[in-house]
Amino acid sequence: MAHPRSPSSANIQRRAESDPVIGTVIDGDFHVDSLIGVGSHADVFAGHQRSVGDRPVAIKILSRPYLNLREPDFRRASQALLREGELLGMLHASCFVDVYRTGILADERPYLAMEYAEGDTLATLAVEQSPLPVALVIDIGLQAAEGLAELHQLGFVHRDVTPANLIVCRSALGHVRLKNYDFGTVTKMSPRADRYRVGYDPEHPLGTPAYMSPEQAQAGVIDGRSDQFALASVLFELLVGYRPVQVEATGPRAVLDHLRSNGPIPVQPLVASADVPTPVVDAVLKALSRDPGARFDVIDDFAKQLLYVKQKSFADTRRTRTGLIGRLLGP
């Protein structure tokens, strides 16, 4: 949710489209072609790397308005973006984009040259095709959970796992490959509540209310179980076509108020059906518990229950096919 004094999204778009970096070559190698995304602190451009067969790249650059900040504030913002690149470089899960290079532009703004993930966001896919097939949702959940588990093991929490931050790519054989490209909200875990209150406005919490955990909405201490809640919110939406707390119907402020109350989560039911098996429902609802202590201890355990359903489905299909072949061949 935008702060009342923030510029409109249209103004942000126009600002980014006028960035003089478009059409230039960074560090003699990365040609900046066009704008493909704008964010609260950085803009993303499509480009190509000339030294490696003109391979496509995504170039994330600190937004131009940061040049107008006081030197200490500009330096902190620059260091934050470069740390984002360093962290991405430490991660190996397939759902994270590769970082090719980090550096500083002539105007002193930092940049990250990254793998270009071609595809629609999961948010677009959800709008166009939801509810999605259970097998696909499980596959998406497993890929996202693998990446988050690695992030948590390094001592970080994402804080903004949403369909808009996940790109759905397809391999040459049609397999779905999930890519997470936005690490602007990632922070180090800490047992101190005030660790998350530095520069924190409780009225405008960092993150997306529709997928935010209750403890994050309340500015409390958060750990990997907060990301677990967010991922379960995403999977819930993909399975049934609407969010656990429907922001479209109530608005972000009402969602935050509900998260800070004692109201049920999810507000809308998720029930087992022929399409959504009971173990999937149980796993998603457990991860959506209002109390972090009632969720899975770690996101790995959430993934294990999803993997169990996937493996069982494969085994059932294999037995069915084996039986069919036996009947066709006869005694």
Side-chain angles (χ1 to χ4, degrees), residues 8 18 40 44 60 104 109 124 156 160 174 208 233 254-255 266 279 298:
S8 69
S18 65
S40 59
V44 182
K60 191 169 186 177
I104 306 294
R109 287 184 293 161
T124 299
F156 293 89
D160 199 25
T208 306
S233 297
V255 173
V298 290

Side-chain angles (χ1 to χ4, degrees), residues 54-131:
D54 279 340
R55 70 173 169 186
V57 294
I59 306 168
K60 191 169 186 177
I61 303 174
L62 190 69
S63 299
R64 288 182 68 202
Y66 280 84
L67 291 170
N68 300 322
L69 295 181
R70 295 184 308 113
E71 175 61 27
D73 296 328
F74 175 78
R75 187 167 57 253
R76 277 194 293 270
S78 297
Q79 291 171 346
L81 184 60
L82 291 173
R83 281 196 299 270
E84 185 178 334
E86 291 174 3
L87 179 57
L88 274 170
M90 295 167 59
L91 297 164
H92 303 290
S94 62
C95 69
F96 298 126
V97 294
D98 291 328
V99 176
Y100 301 141
R101 191 180 304 173
T102 66
I104 306 294
L105 302 183
D107 64 7
E108 299 188 348
R109 287 184 293 161
Y111 77 88
L112 314 178
M114 305 177 293
E115 171 187 0
Y116 182 80
E118 186 171 2
D120 292 325
T121 65
L122 191 54
T124 299
L125 189 66
V127 169
E128 294 177 350
Q129 301 183 31
S130 67

Side-chain angles (χ1 to χ4, degrees), residues 147-167:
L148 290 170
E150 185 180 12
L151 185 68
H152 297 163
Q153 288 165 8
L154 289 175
F156 293 89
V157 60
H158 191 283
R159 296 195 295 179
D160 199 25
V161 179
T162 74
N165 286 341
L166 299 169
I167 295 180

Side-chain angles (χ1 to χ4, degrees), residues 199-230:
Y200 182 87
D201 179 359
E203 293 303 310
H204 305 94
L206 186 65
T208 306
Y211 307 95
M212 189 180 292
S213 68
E215 61 270 26
Q216 188 173 344
Q218 295 164 358
V221 173
I222 61 173
D223 55 25
R225 292 172 297 181
S226 182
D227 286 344
Q228 182 188 139
F229 181 98

